[in-house]
Amino acid sequence: MVKKNVYTGTGRRKEAVARVMMTPGKGNIKVNGLDVNEYLPYETLVMDLTQPLDITNTKNIFDIEVDVKGGGFSGQTGAIRLGITRALLDYDKNTDVNSENSFRRILKIAGFITRDARIKERKKPGLKKARRAPQFSKR
């Protein structure tokens, strides 16, 4: 059974995957059951994941609940941001895309809709990491 007025989005970044559920509320954000400020260690990460809400002026309109797995704090923040962006697009799906006030247009200009596809490069044989060669010794 699907609840009414629940907007969802899935975000991925590096190894992190975030499932975002957005419901009308007062602007509370919970990540894995904890308040976002308790879960993330740095204020800049919190600012980063709330950017889509700030740019669309919806910060105090929705309560957001996030389940995030994998990766580190930076990757999880990027995944949550993409999930929030997709949930906002789900909320605004009935608005004309060509309208100046459409969330899709606003978020596209800001660059939040594109998934950041950069992932860790694999380690190569004979090297210490993906590109780091062993230290050269002449003697």
Side-chain angles (χ1 to χ4, degrees):
M1 186 171 137
V2 178
K3 288 188 219 170
K4 216 171 186 178
N5 295 333
V6 175
Y7 308 101
T8 60
T10 303
R12 293 181 193 85
R13 170 83 171 93
K14 294 187 177 181
E15 290 291 316
V17 180
R19 292 182 312 160
V20 176
M21 289 188 302
M22 212 166 62
T23 54
K26 294 184 171 78
N28 300 323
I29 302 174
K30 287 197 176 267
V31 180
N32 291 347
L34 295 172
D35 182 62
V36 70
N37 294 311
E38 288 177 39
Y39 185 79
L40 295 172
Y42 306 113
E43 187 64 33
T44 52
L45 294 176
V46 177
M47 285 169 39
D48 192 33
L49 75 83
T50 57
Q51 282 178 329
L53 299 169
D54 293 335
I55 206 164
T56 55
N57 295 322
T58 54
K59 195 165 191 167
N60 297 323
I61 297 174
F62 296 109
D63 283 343
I64 297 173
E65 207 169 302
V66 181
D67 290 325
V68 66
K69 293 179 177 142
F73 289 119
S74 176
Q76 287 184 352
T77 301
I80 294 168
R81 185 171 83 172
L82 183 60
I84 290 172
T85 300
R86 288 182 174 168
L88 285 169
L89 293 177
D90 186 28
Y91 165 73
D92 197 48
K93 65 183 164 212
N94 296 327
T95 306
D96 181 31
V97 178
N98 298 324
S99 164
E100 246 180 69
N101 297 337
S102 82
F103 284 179
R104 181 160 192 87
R105 184 184 201 108
I106 294 167
L107 294 166
K108 182 78 171 172
I109 290 168
F112 295 143
I113 292 177
T114 308
R115 192 245 199 244
D116 190 345
R118 293 176 297 171
I119 57 170
K120 187 173 170 83
E121 191 175 338
R122 79 172 196 88
K123 183 191 176 301
K124 315 296 185 312
L127 301 180
K128 290 187 175 288
K129 289 167 48 175
R131 299 184 181 206
R132 170 76 172 106
Q135 185 171 359
F136 175 73
S137 173
K138 196 176 244 185
R139 288 173 192 88

